[in-house]
Each structure stands twice: as C-alpha cells, then as structure tokens.
C-alpha cells in the first residue's frame, strides 16, 4: 500500500491500514483540511467535485462529498467528468475551489484528491503546504446540524464542449470539410463519455472507438505511452483512419497516432498545437525543463520567445502568466491554452490539432516530419538512502559551469544540440536523468556520460 502527500494533492492505493494507503480515514482528514483552508474562517464555502471512472471513484466521492458537507461546504457534484471539465466548472460556479478524484495515469488500484483554487487551477506550493499542515494538526471545526453544506448535482459535459467550440482558433467548418476519420482510445474512463460528443460536434462523421465504456476497469496500462497503445496502432495501420487520439483516465493528456499506425510522439502534441496557435497569434510559449527542445525551435521560427518552467503543471502555468505565453504545456501530451483556461486539456488539444490538420491538408505523418527531430532518453540513478543528492547536483552544476545551466528544478545542462536534466525524486533515493539529442543513440550516450560523472561524484 502507498500514500503520497504532496502540495499538488493526496495520492494513494485503495485498501489497507490508515496512513498506509488512501483509506476512508485519510480521505476525511485531508478533505477536512482542504475545507478548513477554503473557508478561511467563513461560515460557508462552495466546492465542485468531479471524478474519473475508476472503480473506487464512487466510494471516494461519497466520503468527499459527505465530509465537505460536514464542514459546512456547499457541494456541486458533477460526478463523472474530466479534470479540465472540473476546472472550468469551478469558475462557472464561482466556487471557492474544487476537488478532482483521479489518479491520472496510475493503475486502477490508485486514486487521488487533486485540489483546486477558486480559479480552477491547482494550488500553489504555498497553499498546498498549508493544507498539508492543517491535515497534520487535525484541528477541524465541523458544522452544526443547521449549518451543514448542501448538495447539488450537475452535468458539465456539454458546457465544456461548448467552451471548446467557442474558441476562435477552433475551425469547425474546416474540420467538417476535411471529412476526417478518427480513432480514439479512452481507456475505459470519462474520455469515453465526452470525446465522441466532442468529435461529433466538430463535424467528425467517422469515429472508431476503443475502450469507450467508462467502467474504470482499464483495458491496458492507462498511461498513454507507445508500449500501451498497440491496439489502436494496429487498428489504424489497417488503413482508412486519418488520425488517432488517446487520452489518460482524466483526459488532461493527449497522445496522437499517425495514419500509418505509428506514434506521433507524445512530446510533439504541444509542439504541433503550438505551431498552429503561433501561426495565428504572435506570442511566447512555455513548457517544463524535461520537455522537448522542439517547442523552443518552433516558437523561435514564429518570432516568439520560449521559456522553461520547473516540472509540474502549476509551475508551467505560473511561468505562462509571467511571460504572457499564448500557448504552453508539458511534453507528456499536456496542452495548456489560456484562451480556454489555465489547465491541461485534451479536448482543447484535439480541437486545435484537427483545425491545424484541416488547414495544412497533409497526412499526420507528414506533419510530424515537418518539425525538428529530437529523441529523449529517460534513465535513473539509484543511490543509497543516506546519499546527499543535493550536494551531488551542486557538484554537477559546478562541473558544467561553462555550459548553459538551469537549476530551478534539479540541474539542466543545455549543450549546442542536446541537453540533459537531472532531478531528484521526492519519495526515493534516486536521480532521474532525461536527455535529448537529434538521435536516440546520441541522447543515450549523453545520459551515459553524465551518469558516469554522477557516479564519480557520489563516491
């Protein structure tokens, strides 16, 4: 069993003893802490609750809703809904916050409480730390019987779709005229509810769906990586499909499949969407330090400036606001388009990508070839529990002082045609090593060289 407490939320496996997993007692404790934070001394508050389709979702939802009501919080329950749907519902309801019940790409035995502020965005590091501190103290003040929160149920699915269709750069007419055939894999979660409706609204007539039933019993590992997407790749390889869209259980990540069944590469989801946005809107972009350099290259081709943020959606959003970025996201397929809202949104990604494809009038594989080619290698260094990882990273920074070094999140070293990023884990004695170059062999060699340096420094 496992329980991971962080500023971005509470994640754990279902079952087992309290504090060892996401037990009912742990859910009550952390929701009570969040409610205390939301109310800030007020008698009442209002929170939106949405969930993905995982098997434990209904049980967790019941506890969350009851606890919020017990804390004097009025609840708007939107039930089965994507993460971005819940985010925009918070704003639409003028709520004080929101809780999303999803463990994102984690397997079905996991669930989580993802906490939102009144803007429908994830809590800042400061606010998240405050919630954890309140939970640790366990000083909760529950409501009297005449002050209990109310419960309202609503469905925000169509509202979200309408918001996407209203975006200026979503060209529904062009998409309709292109007469696309699309395949989707929604891994038996809420994507199966909303994606067919979105595609129909965009004028896509032919849709081949895999794993659409929102049972929460994931047909494959729910992380949208190539090794988990063999079924949709095989389906598309048979011919007759223009593009494939794959989402994770809470539909904030988007992976693309080319017309020949090959992967578009998850890193290039944001690259392609940014290319389209920047071709119509002059401006800057942001992604995290571990995302592909291709976004920087495409941004500069359009006359904009690229900036990097620390890993984590809240960090990307903060940097986007600081630099007035018109598009941003993460290399895991997360598209953040401020014209919609400041959150990763696969629906927005799909609508913008189809608009881009309709305008370009090329095959998806041809579009992919038009972008700078990079390859990322992902590795890890396992260290002993008593290793001073911060000292090692500081020494790495000094060793590569003559290169372009960024230390806002671990140590990233930018070379002329490649980079390597070292980050320590918050839960294990390991250093994650991501490297990128123009070939996978070069990326792996770079990682090998830097890992050898770390090994020497750790002796």
């Amino acid at each position: 069993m496992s329980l991971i407490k962080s500023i971005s939320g509470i994640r754990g496996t279902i079952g087992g003893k309290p504090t060892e997993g996401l037990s009912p007692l742990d859910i009550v404790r952390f929701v009570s802490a969040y409610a205390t934070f939301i109310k800030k001394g007020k008698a009442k508050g209002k929170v939106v609750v949405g969930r993905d389709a995982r098997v434990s979702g209904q049980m967790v939802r019941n506890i969350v809703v009851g606890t919020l009501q017990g804390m004097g919080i009025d609840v708007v329950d939107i039930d089965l809904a994507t993460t971005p749907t819940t985010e925009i519902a918070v704003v639409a309801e003028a709520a004080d916050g929101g809780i999303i019940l999803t463990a994102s790409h984690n397997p079905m035995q996991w669930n989580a409480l993802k906490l939102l502020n009144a803007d429908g965005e994830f809590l800042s590091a400061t606010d998240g730390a405050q919630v954890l501190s309140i939970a640790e103290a366990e000083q909760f003040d529950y409501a009297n019987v005449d002050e209990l929160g109310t419960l309202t149920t609503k469905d925000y699915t169509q509202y979200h779709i309408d918001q996407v269709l209203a975006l200026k750069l979503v060209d529904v007419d062009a998409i309709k005229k292109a007469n696309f055939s699309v395949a989707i894999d929604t891994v038996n979660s809420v994507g199966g509810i909303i994606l067919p409706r979105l595609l129909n609204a965009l004028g896509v007539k032919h849709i081949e769906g895999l794993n659409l039933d929102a049972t929460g019993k994931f047909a494959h590992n729910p992380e949208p990586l190539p090794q988990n997407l063999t079924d949709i790749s095989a389906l598309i390889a048979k011919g007759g499909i223009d593009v494939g869209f794959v989402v994770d259980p809470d539909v904030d990540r988007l992976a693309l499949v080319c017309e020949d069944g090959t992967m578009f590469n998850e890193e290039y989801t944001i690259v392609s969407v940014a290319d389209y946005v920047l071709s119509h809107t002059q401006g800057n972009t942001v992604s995290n330090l571990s995302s592909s350099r291709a976004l920087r290259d495409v941004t500069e081709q359009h006359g904009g400036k690229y900036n990097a943020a620390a890993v984590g959606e809240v960090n990307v959003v903060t940097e986007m606001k600081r630099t007035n970025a018109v598009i941003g996201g993460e290399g895991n397929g997360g598209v953040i388009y401020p014209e919609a809202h400041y959150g990763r949104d696969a629906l927005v990604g799909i609508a913008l990508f189809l608009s881009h494809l309709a305008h370009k009038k090329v095959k998806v594989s041809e579009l992919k070839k038009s972008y700078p080619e990079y390859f990322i290698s992902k590795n890890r260094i396992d260290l002993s529990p008593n290793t001073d990882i911060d000292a090692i990273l500081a020494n790495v920074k000094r060793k590569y002082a003559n290169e372009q070094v960024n230390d806002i999140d671990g140590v990233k070293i930018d070379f002329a045609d490649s980079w390597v990023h070292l980050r320590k884990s918050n839960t294990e004695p390991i250093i994650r090593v991501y490297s990128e170059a123009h070939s996978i062999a070069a990326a792996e060699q770079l990682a090998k060289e830097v890992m050898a340096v770390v090994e020497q420094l750790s002796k």
Side-chain angles (χ1 to χ4, degrees):
M1 297 295 115
S2 180
L3 181 66
I4 300 173
K5 297 172 285 185
S6 73
I7 58 173
S8 60
I10 312 302
R11 177 165 50 105
T13 49
I14 298 298
K17 298 177 181 178
T19 74
E20 293 181 1
L22 191 62
S23 73
L25 286 178
D26 292 300
I27 296 169
V28 170
R29 181 159 61 99
F30 287 107
V31 172
S32 298
Y34 174 69
T36 302
F37 168 79
I38 285 294
K39 288 173 66 175
K40 292 183 174 67
K42 299 184 297 183
K44 300 286 286 185
K46 185 178 184 180
V47 170
V48 175
V49 177
R51 68 181 180 95
D52 70 15
R54 63 188 60 232
V55 174
S56 62
Q58 186 65 54
M59 178 273 290
V60 175
R61 173 261 175 210
N62 291 341
I63 298 170
V64 169
V65 169
T67 302
L68 288 171
Q69 290 182 277
M71 288 292 297
I73 299 287
D74 293 335
V75 179
V76 179
D77 177 23
I78 65 172
D79 200 35
L80 290 171
T82 74
T83 282
T85 304
T86 309
E87 291 169 349
I88 65 174
V90 170
V91 177
E93 291 287 335
D96 298 294
I99 301 180
I100 309 167
L101 314 181
T102 175
S104 192
H105 62 271
N106 289 106
M108 65 179 288
Q109 66 266 33
W110 288 80
N111 213 325
L113 312 173
K114 292 190 175 182
L115 310 178
L116 304 176
N117 61 23
D119 294 321
E121 300 167 13
F122 290 114
L123 298 186
S124 66
T126 300
D127 289 346
Q130 189 174 344
V131 172
L132 293 180
S133 177
I134 295 170
E136 187 70 23
E138 291 193 21
Q139 295 180 344
F140 312 130
D141 187 10
Y142 293 100
N144 296 323
V145 68
D146 55 351
E147 296 175 342
L148 295 174
T150 61
L151 173 61
T152 305
T153 59
K154 293 186 179 181
D155 185 344
Y156 264 87
T157 301
Q158 190 59 47
Y159 180 88
H160 189 180
I161 291 171
D162 290 342
Q163 294 292 301
V164 173
L165 296 177
L167 294 171
K168 293 179 181 178
L169 292 187
V170 173
D171 194 336
V172 177
D173 289 338
I175 294 171
K176 286 181 179 178
K177 290 177 182 177
N179 194 29
F180 291 125
S181 292
V182 172
I184 57 174
D185 181 348
T186 61
V187 71
N188 305 107
S189 193
V190 290
I193 298 171
I194 198 167
L195 288 199
R197 288 175 60 176
L198 171 71
L199 291 168
N200 284 327
L202 288 170
V204 177
K205 298 292 193 299
H206 182 208
I207 304 170
E208 294 281 344
L210 294 178
N211 309 315
L212 298 182
D213 294 336
T215 62
K217 297 179 180 179
F218 309 140
H220 56 75
N221 185 311
E223 187 164 14
L225 299 176
Q227 60 267 32
N228 302 327
L229 307 178
T230 54
D231 287 346
I232 191 169
S233 292
L235 171 65
I236 296 175
K238 294 178 181 178
I241 301 292
D242 296 301
V243 60
F245 296 119
V246 183
V247 294
D248 61 342
D250 66 327
V251 199
D252 62 354
R253 289 173 60 176
L254 173 64
L256 310 173
V257 186
C258 299
E259 81 290 341
D260 58 1
T262 61
M263 297 304 299
F264 191 80
N265 187 329
E266 197 178 26
E267 288 286 334
Y268 282 76
T269 298
I270 180 59
V271 175
S272 59
V273 172
D275 181 32
Y276 175 63
V277 171
L278 293 172
S279 67
H280 293 81
T281 310
Q282 181 70 33
N284 304 323
T285 67
V286 173
S287 66
N288 68 44
L289 286 169
S290 288
S291 297
S292 177
R293 186 181 281 187
L295 179 60
R296 183 203 68 177
D297 293 354
V298 168
T299 302
E300 292 176 352
Q301 288 170 9
H302 285 285
K305 182 179 180 182
Y306 166 80
N307 289 279
V311 173
E313 181 176 326
V314 65
N315 298 317
V316 174
V317 167
T318 299
E319 184 67 7
M320 288 179 69
K321 291 179 178 179
R322 187 188 74 82
T323 60
N324 295 314
V326 297
I327 185 72
E330 298 182 290
N332 61 9
V335 174
I336 303 173
Y337 185 44
E339 287 292 320
H341 62 110
Y342 277 107
R344 296 182 302 179
D345 192 330
L347 276 75
V348 170
I350 287 171
L352 291 176
F353 183 83
L354 284 177
S355 299
H356 188 30
L357 195 62
H359 286 194
K360 283 288 187 179
K361 296 182 172 64
V362 297
K363 294 179 179 179
V364 177
S365 61
E366 294 171 342
L367 181 63
K368 172 62 167 60
K369 290 178 182 177
S370 71
Y371 298 125
E373 190 172 38
Y374 290 100
F375 297 86
I376 290 181
S377 175
K378 299 182 180 182
N379 299 274
R380 57 184 275 174
I381 303 171
D382 292 273
L383 301 164
S384 61
N386 60 351
T387 302
D388 189 342
I389 296 178
D390 289 329
I392 292 175
L393 293 178
N395 287 332
V396 170
K397 180 183 174 183
R398 281 192 288 270
K399 181 173 180 60
Y400 290 96
N402 292 330
E403 304 294 343
Q404 184 178 339
V405 176
N406 187 321
D407 64 354
I408 63 172
D409 184 9
V411 175
K412 182 176 182 179
I413 309 156
D414 270 293
F415 302 97
D417 57 358
S418 61
W419 57 260
V420 63
H421 185 202
L422 294 87
R423 297 179 69 238
K424 73 172 184 178
S425 168
N426 293 324
T427 58
E428 303 172 272
I430 66 173
I431 296 176
R432 302 191 189 281
V433 182
Y434 287 14
S435 56
E436 182 179 63
H438 287 297
S439 71
I440 189 63
E444 290 174 348
Q445 180 59 32
L446 175 59
K448 183 178 179 181
E449 293 171 1
V450 174
M451 290 168 72
V453 170
V454 171
E455 185 177 351
Q456 291 176 344
L457 293 173
S458 62
K459 292 180 179 178

